[in-house]
Amino acid sequence: MQQHPPGMIAAPGQSGAQHQAPQPGARSANDEQVLRLVMELAQPEQRESALLELSKKREAFSDLAPLLWNSSGTIVALLQEIVAIYPLLSPPALTAHASNRVCNALALLQCVASHADTRGHFLQAHIPLFLYPFLNTVSKSRPFEYLRLTSLGVIGALVKMDDQDVISFLLSTEIIPL
């Protein structure tokens, strides 16, 4: 097992990026729970409950975005949640349950998109492209409206920072047709 300086932890299976944590014994129970929930995202049988709990806690844990980005398999798990509902888009078959689940994943991606330390990586990975199919749906049902609104929230988190790289990216990918 890789050794880290005191106060530094890495997600399971992760040897590179690290998350600054308080000294051992000083971590709060909430921090421990967030770390456990992030690890649970990589486990399909625990993912749904972890998505729900993390989406509720995202405002209370300031370093959630770097933790999500740097934890092994976490972004992949969030993207799996997104692509899993593509077949439900056309013909429209999205249920409220499936919409809520993917919107919880989108809420965590919004957290990553809005954080200064992860926004550039988020764009370099072209993650907003995964959201475009949601924006192009035409169904007026509540699950689809919720999905579109949450997807726009991710894009809104990017543009709120008034970053030229974000604007250039969005224009180049034609989310905003000229």
Side-chain angles (χ1 to χ4, degrees):
M1 181 163 189
Q2 182 175 352
Q3 295 296 317
H4 298 283
M8 297 294 283
I9 58 171
Q14 184 77 8
S15 60
Q18 300 163 346
H19 169 72
Q20 181 69 36
Q23 293 299 318
R27 256 188 279 166
S28 74
N30 189 47
D31 290 350
E32 292 289 342
Q33 183 183 28
V34 168
L35 292 171
R36 181 184 51 76
L37 289 168
V38 169
M39 289 187 287
E40 288 177 3
L41 289 174
Q43 301 168 23
E45 65 279 355
Q46 295 179 316
R47 187 176 298 155
E48 185 172 6
S49 63
L51 284 169
L52 178 61
E53 292 305 313
L54 281 170
S55 68
K56 290 178 186 175
K57 295 179 179 301
R58 69 185 187 274
E59 302 294 328
F61 192 74
S62 62
D63 286 336
L64 181 58
L67 181 61
L68 290 169
W69 187 263
N70 295 312
S71 297
S72 181
T74 301
I75 297 300
V76 171
L78 296 177
L79 292 175
Q80 285 174 341
E81 290 296 316
I82 289 170
V83 299
I85 66 158
Y86 284 176
L88 304 176
L89 300 179
S90 182
L94 186 64
T95 64
H97 179 262
S99 179
N100 287 337
R101 181 172 171 150
V102 75
C103 285
N104 286 332
L106 290 170
L108 296 179
L109 286 178
Q110 181 175 342
C111 176
V112 173
S114 65
H115 196 283
D117 293 343
T118 55
R119 183 174 38 259
H121 300 299
F122 186 83
L123 288 174
Q124 287 175 342
H126 290 206
I127 292 176
L129 297 179
F130 287 89
L131 309 182
Y132 293 2
F134 300 158
L135 300 175
N136 290 322
T137 59
V138 294
S139 175
K140 301 292 185 216
S141 71
R142 186 172 299 257
F144 280 93
E145 292 291 337
Y146 186 43
L147 179 61
R148 278 192 293 275
L149 182 62
T150 308
S151 298
L152 284 171
V154 177
I155 303 300
L158 286 170
V159 298
K160 190 188 306 186
M161 302 305 156
D162 196 26
D163 181 334
Q164 187 57 46
D165 290 339
V166 170
I167 304 304
S168 296
F169 175 85
L170 294 175
L171 289 173
S172 73
T173 60
E174 296 189 13
I175 187 174
I176 307 165
L178 296 175

